[in-house]
Amino acid sequence: MTDCIFCKIAAGEIPSRKVYEDEDILAFHDIKPAAPVHFLIIPKKHIPTLADVAENDIPVMGKIMAVAGKLAKQEGCHDGFRTIVNTGRVGCQEVYHVHIHILGGDKPLGLMLGK
Ligand code: 5GP
Ligand code: ZN
């Protein structure tokens, strides 16, 4: 996808504050943090939304879930965190390249429906 901002971040064409990278996935800090810790994990492959995830995407989506806890701890979430996946218009998704938000810090986050 040439005009996808997260594809450009994955390709290194747009800079990001990287948390983790391997051949399949990338984690980077959200440009507009909504919590003391706020980063995103994406597949490098362009998948528009969670609703578009197909059976052949199971390994990469599984990998995202498998690293989430470790990365959250590494970034300072020592007593839990919140994961959010906004999907489509009703889910108020802004960037149409599937991503999982990891939000946390020291204090409980309360309700976060600020969209
Ligand atoms: P969504 O609403 O699609 O779930 O969330 C998109 C997220 O991407 C937002 O929290 C927004 O701040 C973040 N974002 C948008 N553009 C950029 C960017 O260029 N760099 C980074 N690091 N985050 C971005
Ligand atoms: Zn993309």
Side-chain angles (χ1 to χ4, degrees), residues 34-35 37-41 65 68-69 72 77 79-86 100-105 107-114:
V37 177
H38 186 179
F39 63 91
L40 309 171
I41 316 177
M65 299 307 275
C77 302
D79 198 16
F81 55 90
R82 179 165 293 162
T83 50
I84 298 174
V85 183
N86 296 318
I100 171 170
H101 292 256
I102 305 286
L103 299 120
K107 294 186 193 131
L109 295 170
L111 282 176
M112 298 184 74
L113 295 169

Side-chain angles (χ1 to χ4, degrees), residues 37-60:
V37 177
H38 186 179
F39 63 91
L40 309 171
I41 316 177
I42 66 167
K44 286 190 170 177
K45 175 193 171 186
H46 183 80
I47 304 168
T49 83
L50 187 61
D52 300 302
V53 169
E55 222 166 301
N56 60 315
D57 300 318
I58 288 172
V60 73

Side-chain angles (χ1 to χ4, degrees), residues 76-96:
C77 302
H78 299 297
D79 198 16
F81 55 90
R82 179 165 293 162
T83 50
I84 298 174
V85 183
N86 296 318
T87 302
R89 180 180 62 86
V90 171
C92 298
Q93 185 174 354
E94 285 166 24
V95 177
Y96 277 72

Side-chain angles (χ1 to χ4, degrees), residues 1-14 44-48 95-97:
M1 273 286 283
T2 47
D3 62 346
C4 169
I5 196 158
F6 285 0
C7 280
K8 286 182 179 160
I9 286 175
E13 290 162 19
I14 291 176
K44 286 190 170 177
K45 175 193 171 186
H46 183 80
I47 304 168
V95 177
Y96 277 72
H97 179 129

Side-chain angles (χ1 to χ4, degrees), residues 16-21 25-29 39-42 67 71:
S16 67
R17 286 179 52 223
K18 218 171 278 181
V19 171
Y20 173 80
E21 179 170 22
I25 68 173
L26 175 70
F28 56 97
H29 291 279
F39 63 91
L40 309 171
I41 316 177
I42 66 167
V67 300
L71 298 182

